[in-house]
């Protein structure tokens, strides 16, 4: 786990130093998506902790929004790499 955190920090630092903000956005958004998908969040949203159906709905909406934003950032990275941007 520590290696994962250190590797992410190195990649994020390299993205900032080289000015690749789409890459940094992709890293942050995928990290957020992973956080939203961890089992204890999904279990709490499913009603084990007294949460209701709207909470589960908004957790899924947030996951979808973050995933779409990560895909957009990834598309921007690819477009810059191929010379379209």
């Amino acid at each position: 786990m520590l290696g994962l955190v250190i590797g992410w920090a190195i990649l994020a630092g390299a993205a900032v130093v080289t000015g690749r903000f789409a890459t940094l956005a992709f890293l942050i958004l995928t990290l957020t998506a992973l956080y939203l998908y961890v089992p204890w969040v999904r279990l709490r949203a499913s009603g084990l902790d007294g949460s209701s159906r709207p909470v589960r709905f908004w957790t899924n909406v947030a996951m979808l929004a973050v995933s779409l934003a990560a895909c957009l950032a990834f598309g921007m990275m690819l477009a810059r790499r191929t010379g379209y941007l």
Side-chain angles (χ1 to χ4, degrees), residues 17-56:
V17 169
T18 59
R20 296 183 179 261
F21 296 110
T23 304
L24 180 64
F26 178 73
L27 287 169
I28 290 171
L29 289 167
T30 52
L31 184 70
T32 304
L34 287 172
Y35 172 76
L36 286 172
Y37 199 72
V38 291
W40 65 268
V41 171
R42 304 294 292 173
L43 287 174
R44 195 176 85 202
S46 70
L48 288 182
D49 208 19
S51 298
S52 62
R53 187 176 296 265
V55 172
R56 188 173 26 195

